[in-house]
Amino acid sequence: MGGEQCAIEGGGLCTSWLASSWRKMEKGLNDWVSKSFIGRYFKLEARRSCFTRELRAGTATFLTMAYIITVNATILSDSGGTCSLADCTTPANQTATPDCMFKPNAGYQNCLSKTKSDLIVATVLSAMIGSIAMGILANLPLALAPAMGPNVYLAYNMVGFHGSGSISYQTALAIVLVEGCAFFVISAIGLRAKLAKLIPRPVRLACAVGIGLFIAFVGLQVHQGVGLVGPDSSTLVTITACARTNPETGECLGGKLRSPTFWLGLVGFLITSFGLMKEIKGSMIYGILFVTLISWFRGTSVTYFPNTPLGDTNYKYFKKVVDFHQIKSTAGAIGFSKFNTSEVWVSLATLFYVDVLSITGTTQTMAEIGGFANDQGGFEGEYLAYLVDAGSTVVGSTLGVSTVATYVESSAGLREGGQTGLTAIIVGFYFFISLFFIPLFSSVPPWAIGPSLVMVGVMMMKVVNDINWANMKEAMPAFVTILLMPLTYSISNGIVGGIGLYMALNLYDSLLGSIRWLIKMRSRVVKEQNQVSATAAVDPTVESV
């Protein structure tokens, strides 16, 4: 029956013999799969779907979220990963200084390249495992991968650029592991959705907007993106996109807006924007692909492989095209030796809070879009879905990546008609194939990634409409949350500031309400005392007593 429904979709489009034969083959395949153990297990007929529809849905989902393979690895590698001062190249009889991790250094850059390849594999494996588990256990067409937001928080707030933060990469992974275990426990006992509702609504909404602005700000910078924004001694930040920059300060040495890589990245951004305007599937991939292909040509001003020792090494690895890269540095790089510090507990609470909000909300939203949700907001497979994404975070932390979550891009597959876990399994299969093309994924330049980060920020801005800006008690905490995240370069600062202001504003109402209640109770007590006195004055028995 599911095969018949799916076969109808192609009817009438072409009357040629080839098209007719193809429809018959498709119908036969769908009927066979629907009646097989696979079809019964995934409830293809019960959910009025078929194999080819699930295949199209899985393909659409993968195309829209495949950008995360290189984007996530690029962001996390900015933390420096397990690279340290010991990896720096120094002249003979000299000692490396900490600034070698922030200046061009062949040894440190080579370590970063290997770390990025490790993180690409870790990203692919965590996405593959999470998506397949979601399909098999929860039977839902939802794909998983390392989430945008938590990865930025880990790289730039917890560990800091090239390890400049207060927490090491190893300790950060330990935080993700503990947070994932805590997430699993609250999912198992059914507290997850209830905890999400405890957070003030304006702060919940503002978090998504603030994180979006933070991600876009990262995509505009020179090390992580297109290089449009850079430091300035008087205004802190300014427009750069310079032909050359000071390796120590990042300030312009040449004219502004003369960077060829910036203009190439801008073209990629326009390609992505146009594709999204026309609702073309995989638009973010096309923008990244265009910029990357141009950057792969050597001997140009935008090449990713300059004529340097590091460029030669990267180009040699790139030419392998197909290669299975084994994770060497990030897998199992979990350290608890410096866990008991105030910075660690603040980071753990922030990461946990962000995940409770974003991951739970995304999963529920996808269920509503797919038509799985009931009148109470629940949906079939909800309990197992929560356990899967929490468990995937635990697995991801052992591989070296940040929180793994259900992706909003799953909506692309839902629009294609995906209704069962087969969609998620197909996405996982595509990620598996990606494992064998690590040389290509590891050679994507930052100016190809930057436009996609800006676009992610654009997409996360839409919830700003849901904030009640007319109510200042909600508007002010929301605005502070949004403002502090990019300006202080910290997601946790925005969350703490927003919640703190919300509590302060509500504290006034609470105190005023308490005072009014006390006055009301006092008036009631006085009134009752007056009644008793009046009764005593009239009743002689009361007087005798």
Side-chain angles (χ1 to χ4, degrees):
M1 183 166 181
E4 293 177 359
Q5 293 169 356
C6 291
I8 293 173
E9 294 178 356
L13 296 178
C14 183
T15 57
S16 66
W17 176 84
L18 184 62
S20 177
S21 300
W22 171 254
R23 286 198 298 272
K24 290 180 180 178
M25 291 174 58
E26 183 180 2
K27 182 179 181 301
L29 175 63
N30 289 330
D31 287 340
W32 179 78
V33 174
S34 296
K35 295 175 182 178
S36 66
F37 168 78
I38 293 176
R40 294 192 300 272
Y41 180 84
F42 290 104
K43 303 178 182 180
L44 283 173
E45 291 190 352
R47 296 190 181 180
R48 303 176 66 83
S49 187
C50 62
F51 175 73
T52 53
R53 181 184 292 173
E54 300 292 314
L55 178 62
R56 288 195 298 271
T59 303
T61 298
F62 178 76
L63 285 175
T64 56
M65 67 180 291
Y67 70 91
I68 195 60
I69 297 175
T70 51
V71 170
N72 185 63
T74 300
I75 290 173
L76 292 180
S77 62
D78 276 342
S79 71
T82 57
C83 298
S84 65
L85 186 65
D87 296 297
C88 291
T89 301
T90 57
N93 301 323
Q94 291 189 18
T95 304
T97 56
D99 61 352
C100 74
M101 297 187 295
F102 304 98
K103 297 179 181 179
N105 183 283
Y108 191 78
Q109 293 297 323
N110 186 48
C111 179
L112 286 180
S113 297
K114 293 178 181 178
T115 299
K116 183 178 178 181
S117 296
D118 285 352
L119 290 169
I120 288 174
V121 176
T123 300
V124 170
L125 283 176
S126 58
M128 180 188 75
I129 294 170
S131 298
I132 292 176
M134 180 67 78
I136 294 176
L137 299 178
N139 194 22
L140 290 170
L142 307 179
L144 283 75
M148 293 295 295
N151 58 356
V152 173
Y153 180 67
L154 185 149
Y156 304 119
N157 292 162
M158 293 167 64
V159 183
F161 182 70
H162 288 185
S164 58
S166 58
I167 299 174
S168 68
Y169 176 76
Q170 291 83 350
T171 304
L173 291 182
I175 293 173
V176 176
L177 175 62
V178 172
E179 184 263 343
C181 292
F183 212 39
F184 189 88
V185 170
I186 66 167
S187 299
I189 62 179
L191 284 178
R192 182 168 165 175
K194 295 179 181 178
L195 282 177
K197 295 177 181 178
L198 292 177
I199 308 300
R201 183 176 181 273
V203 178
R204 286 204 310 266
L205 297 172
C207 273
V209 182
I211 292 173
L213 288 176
F214 188 95
I215 292 172
F217 186 45
V218 169
L220 292 175
Q221 296 178 56
V222 64
H223 294 293
Q224 302 89 359
V226 295
L228 178 62
V229 175
D232 184 85
S233 57
S234 57
T235 61
L236 299 183
V237 293
T238 186
I239 288 181
T240 52
C242 311
R244 292 182 300 112
T245 58
N246 187 323
E248 295 184 6
T249 64
E251 294 180 336
C252 271
L253 296 179
K256 295 182 179 180
L257 296 178
R258 293 185 179 180
S259 170
T261 56
F262 162 72
W263 292 107
L264 179 60
L266 180 60
V267 174
F269 179 77
L270 293 175
I271 292 173
T272 300
S273 302
F274 182 80
L276 291 173
M277 284 169 51
K278 299 299 181 182
E279 298 184 351
I280 300 174
K281 297 179 180 64
S283 298
M284 293 184 72
I285 291 296
Y286 300 145
I288 294 174
L289 188 61
F290 173 82
V291 176
T292 301
L293 290 176
I294 299 297
S295 302
W296 280 347
F297 290 99
R298 302 197 78 178
T300 66
S301 59
V302 296
T303 182
Y304 187 61
F305 307 110
N307 294 316
T308 62
L310 180 61
D312 294 338
T313 301
N314 290 339
Y315 187 65
K316 183 178 180 181
Y317 181 61
F318 161 74
K319 289 192 297 183
K320 289 184 177 181
V321 180
V322 177
D323 180 53
F324 182 82
H325 179 84
Q326 183 179 358
I327 303 178
K328 297 179 181 179
S329 63
T330 62
I334 298 174
F336 286 94
S337 60
K338 299 180 180 179
F339 198 84
N340 194 20
T341 63
S342 58
E343 293 86 356
V344 167
W345 294 110
V346 170
S347 298
L348 178 60
T350 302
L351 200 61
F352 182 79
Y353 164 78
V354 171
D355 289 348
V356 166
L357 289 183
S358 61
I359 299 177
T360 305
T362 299
T363 305
Q364 292 176 338
T365 301
M366 291 302 101
E368 292 175 0
I369 293 175
F372 310 125
N374 54 32
D375 294 336
Q376 291 74 37
F379 54 92
E380 183 181 354
E382 178 181 14
Y383 182 75
L384 287 173
Y386 288 156
L387 292 181
V388 166
D389 65 30
S392 298
T393 294
V394 175
V395 173
S397 66
T398 62
L399 294 172
V401 296
S402 54
T403 307
V404 178
T406 301
Y407 256 59
V408 175
E409 284 78 3
S410 299
S411 60
L414 295 175
R415 287 195 295 267
E416 287 292 322
Q419 292 290 306
T420 75
L422 273 177
T423 295
I425 292 176
I426 290 167
V427 173
F429 177 72
Y430 282 128
F431 276 114
F432 171 74
I433 295 175
S434 302
L435 280 173
F436 301 97
F437 297 94
I438 301 304
L440 299 182
F441 286 115
S442 63
S443 300
V444 178
W447 52 88
I449 301 299
S452 64
L453 297 181
V454 176
M455 192 57 66
V456 169
V458 172
M459 294 175 177
M460 296 180 73
M461 283 295 294
K462 61 183 179 181
V463 297
V464 75
N465 291 327
D466 298 328
I467 299 173
N468 185 7
W469 296 106
N471 184 349
M472 294 306 294
K473 192 167 69 173
E474 293 190 9
M476 286 188 286
F479 180 73
V480 167
T481 302
I482 295 170
L483 187 69
L484 288 182
M485 286 187 182
L487 292 188
T488 65
Y489 218 71
S490 171
I491 293 173
S492 57
N493 286 347
I495 294 173
V496 172
I499 293 180
L501 182 57
Y502 184 86
M503 293 175 63
L505 295 177
N506 281 271
L507 182 62
Y508 169 79
D509 288 341
S510 299
L511 289 175
L512 189 62
S514 299
I515 292 173
R516 288 174 177 172
W517 181 80
L518 289 173
I519 294 173
K520 184 178 180 181
M521 291 300 296
R522 183 178 180 280
S523 300
R524 183 177 298 177
V525 170
V526 171
K527 182 178 181 181
E528 290 178 354
Q529 289 176 344
N530 292 335
Q531 289 177 348
V532 170
S533 300
T535 304
V538 174
D539 193 341
T541 60
V542 174
E543 292 179 352
S544 62
V545 175

